[in-house]
């Protein structure tokens, strides 16, 4: 007999039918719905003000409340018009994998508890290692809840290997455009503020290898112990790619652990060319919940030497079995901060097995093409000043000074067809506010690039009546 909290098999089948029906409706509507919707957020939050209910309520109403009322306000990250921040996707295949993982509820912290599902996750990590050019022998990794946690995990491994317990004198090298999750990781790991050294960048906002070399020498002269560089395979603000090969040379000469952040485009030939030198990294963060179109909740760390993860994280316990580290079965609890963890690997395993890597490569290639197309189209728009063509799938623009650029962004976003965000970045004349176009959403198509161009032209025309909008 099923208890009051549990679902019977028949009840689960009914529930899935109900949820499936509602999600199918949502998937019909959401991709076409406005990309930003601020109305309704307060109302939705107010509805939630009541005390913890003592009695339950029917699923149908709760699912409707979630999907129809609570989810819609805000940025519609299910729309292909979402070109702000770093878009992702929300592959339903991965949501199905979550459902399977949750209902089966197998424990993947230690291999013994679910060897088949752990093997599936190991397989995913081995695929990623191979794609990024890491050696089959000894490499490995960990799936985390996101890129920030992947970088934190890598930095812990680098710290352990190079500094041991003596962390106060450590020196970690980043750049102004390195994602702020690197500095956050340094704080979380107890590195003092002086340990984080900013390396100078060139005019295109790429880290300068000569400046890294000089910064390492300066740090040594100050009595610090340089141990790690975090470089960027596509910065969040402008999309600039650091010169990974030259930076790898410096790391090799100076004995630094080289971590590279954000490398999903390495699954394509063009991405690999843009990220030349990536395969020499000690560790790499990928963000599958952006660059591989998964729903939020998956980051990936791959490392050249998985023993470095065990050295940083393995802790003996009086009640767990002796750790395993067979070639195909890893104890993830000994390779990262979590003990209990879901069968996270299925989120990648199922979509990759079902669709094939070729479909992912084609989708990434399509995003590279669409970003290039967008740059070309916007470069012909009077009143816009574009940054360099996209190294991968992100570029920047200004529409005059900061207030004007901000107004143009707001006007474009108010039209609801595409959504853009901006960033303040170093420029020749000081900090400069730029608009950004980031093409990485699963559902972005050429029609969204048409809408982007038309809405930018219209926004500029409202700004300066002499700039006429595009012919319909
Ligand atoms: C380059 C880069 N690194 C790290 C992160 C942080 O990743 P997450 O949001 O998955 O924690 C981001 C987020 O956009 C990013 O763009």
């Amino acid at each position: 007999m099923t208890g009051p909290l549990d679902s019977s098999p028949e009840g689960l089948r009914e529930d899935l039918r109900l949820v499936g029906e509602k999600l199918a409706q949502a998937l019909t509507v959401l991709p076409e719905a406005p990309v930003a919707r601020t109305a309704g957020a307060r109302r939705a939050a107010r509805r939630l003000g009541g005390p913890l209910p003592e009695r339950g309520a029917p699923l149908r109403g709760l699912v409707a409340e979630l999907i129809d009322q609570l989810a819609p306000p805000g940025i519609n990250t299910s729309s292909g018009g979402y070109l702000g921040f770093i878009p992702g996707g929300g592959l339903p295949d991965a949501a199905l994998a979550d459902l399977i993982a949750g209902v089966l509820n197998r424990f993947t912290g230690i291999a013994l508890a679910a060897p088949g599902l752990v093997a599936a996750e190991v397989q995913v990590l081995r695929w990623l290692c191979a794609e990024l050019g890491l050696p089959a022998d000894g490499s490995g990794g960990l799936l985390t809840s996101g890129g920030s946690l992947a970088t934190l995990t890598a930095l812990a491994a680098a710290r352990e290997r190079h500094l041991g317990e003596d962390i106060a004198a450590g020196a970690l090298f980043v750049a102004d455009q390195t994602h702020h999750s690197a500095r956050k990781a340094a704080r979380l790991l107890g590195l003092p503020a002086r340990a984080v050294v900013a390396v100078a960048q060139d005019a295109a906002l790429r880290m300068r290898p000569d400046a890294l070399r000089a910064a390492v020498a300066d740090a040594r002269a100050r009595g610090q112990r340089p141990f790690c560089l975090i470089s960027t395979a596509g910065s969040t603000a402008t999309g600039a790619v650091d010169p990974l090969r030259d930076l790898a040379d410096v790391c090799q000469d100076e004995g630094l652990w080289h971590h590279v952040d954000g490398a999903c485009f390495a699954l394509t030939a063009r991405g690999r060319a843009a990220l030349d030198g990536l395969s020499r990294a000690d560790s790499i963060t990928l963000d599958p919940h952006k660059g591989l179109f998964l729903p939020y909740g998956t980051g990936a760390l791959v490392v050249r030497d998985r023993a470095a993860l065990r050295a940083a994280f393995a802790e003996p316990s009086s009640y767990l079995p002796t750790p395993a580290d067979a070639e195909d079965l890893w104890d993830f609890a000994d390779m990262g901060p979590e003990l209990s963890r879901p069968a996270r690997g299925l989120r990648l395993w199922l979509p990759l097995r079902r669709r094939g890597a070729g479909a992912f490569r084609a989708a990434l290639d399509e995003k590279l093409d669409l970003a290039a197309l967008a740059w070309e189209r916007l470069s012909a728009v009077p009143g816009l000043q574009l940054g360099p063509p996209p190294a991968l799938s992100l570029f920047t623009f200004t529409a005059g000074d900061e207030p004007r650029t901000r107004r143009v962004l707001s006007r474009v976003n108010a039209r609801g067809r595409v959504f853009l965000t901006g960033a303040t970045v170093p420029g020749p004349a000081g900090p400069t506010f730029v608009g950004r176009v980031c093409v990485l959403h699963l559902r972005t198509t050429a029609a969204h690039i048409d809408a982007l161009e038309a809405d930018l032209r219209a926004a500029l025309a409202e700004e300066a009546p002499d700039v006429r909008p595009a012919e319909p």
Side-chain angles (χ1 to χ4, degrees):
M1 216 185 97
T2 311
L5 282 180
D6 206 354
S7 303
S8 67
E10 190 43 47
L12 177 64
R13 189 176 294 125
E14 280 303 310
D15 290 350
L16 290 180
R17 210 169 280 140
L18 187 158
V19 173
E21 192 51 49
K22 201 67 196 158
L23 283 177
Q25 281 168 16
L27 208 53
T28 313
V29 173
L30 274 178
E32 304 308 325
V35 195
R37 193 186 316 182
T38 46
R42 282 265 158 71
R43 204 172 337 115
R46 266 199 304 271
R47 289 173 60 91
L48 295 175
L52 172 66
E54 206 53 45
R55 297 167 66 88
L59 181 66
R60 182 177 296 280
L62 298 175
V63 170
E65 183 177 341
L66 285 173
I67 295 180
D68 299 336
Q69 286 159 23
L70 297 180
I75 304 166
N76 177 4
T77 47
S78 298
S79 162
Y82 175 39
L83 308 172
F85 303 111
I86 306 286
L91 278 179
D93 283 352
L96 293 179
D98 275 355
L99 179 68
I100 294 168
V103 173
L104 300 183
N105 194 33
R106 302 301 298 270
F107 177 98
T108 63
I110 54 171
L112 183 81
L117 297 186
V118 167
E121 189 161 338
V122 169
Q123 185 177 42
V124 164
L125 287 160
R126 285 198 174 290
W127 288 335
L128 294 179
C129 286
E131 289 292 327
L132 300 181
L134 294 185
D137 225 15
S139 65
L142 184 76
L143 296 180
T144 64
S145 57
S148 302
L149 265 289
T151 296
L152 173 75
T153 307
L155 191 58
R159 183 193 67 171
E160 182 72 22
R161 172 154 288 180
H162 287 266
L163 301 178
E165 290 186 356
D166 183 13
I167 63 172
L172 162 70
F173 298 87
V174 299
D176 175 74
Q177 292 297 300
T178 306
H179 193 267
H180 64 274
S181 55
R183 290 174 189 271
K184 203 182 201 181
R187 275 172 64 195
L188 281 169
L189 292 171
L191 293 166
R194 69 171 178 281
V196 184
V197 179
V199 176
Q201 300 172 143
D202 63 17
L205 301 182
R206 293 173 304 211
M207 191 186 284
R208 276 175 35 203
D210 63 319
L212 172 64
R213 216 179 271 283
V216 169
D218 286 350
R220 290 217 166 92
R222 284 194 301 271
Q224 287 182 293
R225 294 173 62 201
F227 76 100
C228 182
L229 164 70
I230 300 186
S231 66
T232 303
S235 75
T236 315
T238 70
V241 174
D242 285 337
L244 301 179
R245 179 170 293 283
D246 293 346
L247 292 172
D249 286 342
V250 182
C251 289
Q252 188 175 324
D253 294 348
E254 301 289 349
L256 303 183
W257 177 291
H258 186 191
H259 178 74
V260 183
D261 184 25
C264 281
F265 275 103
L267 267 70
T268 66
R270 274 183 283 170
R272 270 194 297 281
L275 305 180
D276 178 42
L278 178 70
S279 61
R280 290 174 57 196
D282 292 292
S283 55
I284 302 168
T285 288
L286 297 93
D287 242 354
H289 60 192
K290 297 174 194 125
L292 291 179
F293 316 112
L294 261 57
Y296 293 117
T298 306
L301 170 67
V302 294
V303 292
R304 175 171 299 281
D305 178 10
R306 69 176 182 278
L309 290 180
R310 281 203 307 282
F313 292 102
E315 271 299 330
S317 106
S318 61
Y319 71 93
L320 289 173
T322 315
D325 184 48
E327 269 310 298
D328 50 356
L329 283 179
W330 307 337
D331 282 337
F332 290 119
D334 283 346
M335 299 169 72
E338 298 173 319
L339 173 57
S340 302
R341 64 196 293 286
R344 193 171 280 139
L346 302 193
R347 298 184 120 219
L348 273 158
W349 187 88
L350 189 68
L352 284 167
R353 285 288 303 269
R354 180 174 188 191
R355 310 286 169 177
F360 282 83
R361 291 187 221 287
L364 286 168
D365 269 325
E366 184 203 21
K367 304 313 160 199
L368 294 173
D369 289 341
L370 288 173
L373 173 72
W375 188 87
E376 208 179 293
R377 296 270 290 274
L378 298 196
S379 63
V381 174
L384 285 185
Q385 302 83 43
L386 264 56
L392 293 164
S393 74
L394 200 177
F395 62 91
T396 62
F397 65 87
T398 54
D401 60 10
E402 173 165 352
R404 195 174 145 103
T405 304
R406 285 190 185 275
R407 280 197 303 274
V408 167
L409 285 187
S410 302
R411 289 200 176 109
V412 167
N413 292 346
R415 287 172 182 261
R417 298 201 294 174
V418 298
F419 181 79
L420 302 176
T421 56
T424 301
V425 296
T432 307
F433 181 78
V434 293
R436 304 161 61 261
V437 175
C438 185
V439 183
L440 196 56
H441 198 284
L442 172 68
R443 302 188 181 109
T444 301
T445 63
H448 295 104
I449 306 304
D450 292 344
L452 168 69
E453 182 188 351
D455 291 356
L456 268 168
R457 283 183 187 270
L460 285 160
E462 283 175 47
E463 192 60 35
D466 52 316
V467 180
R468 300 218 340 256
E471 296 299 326

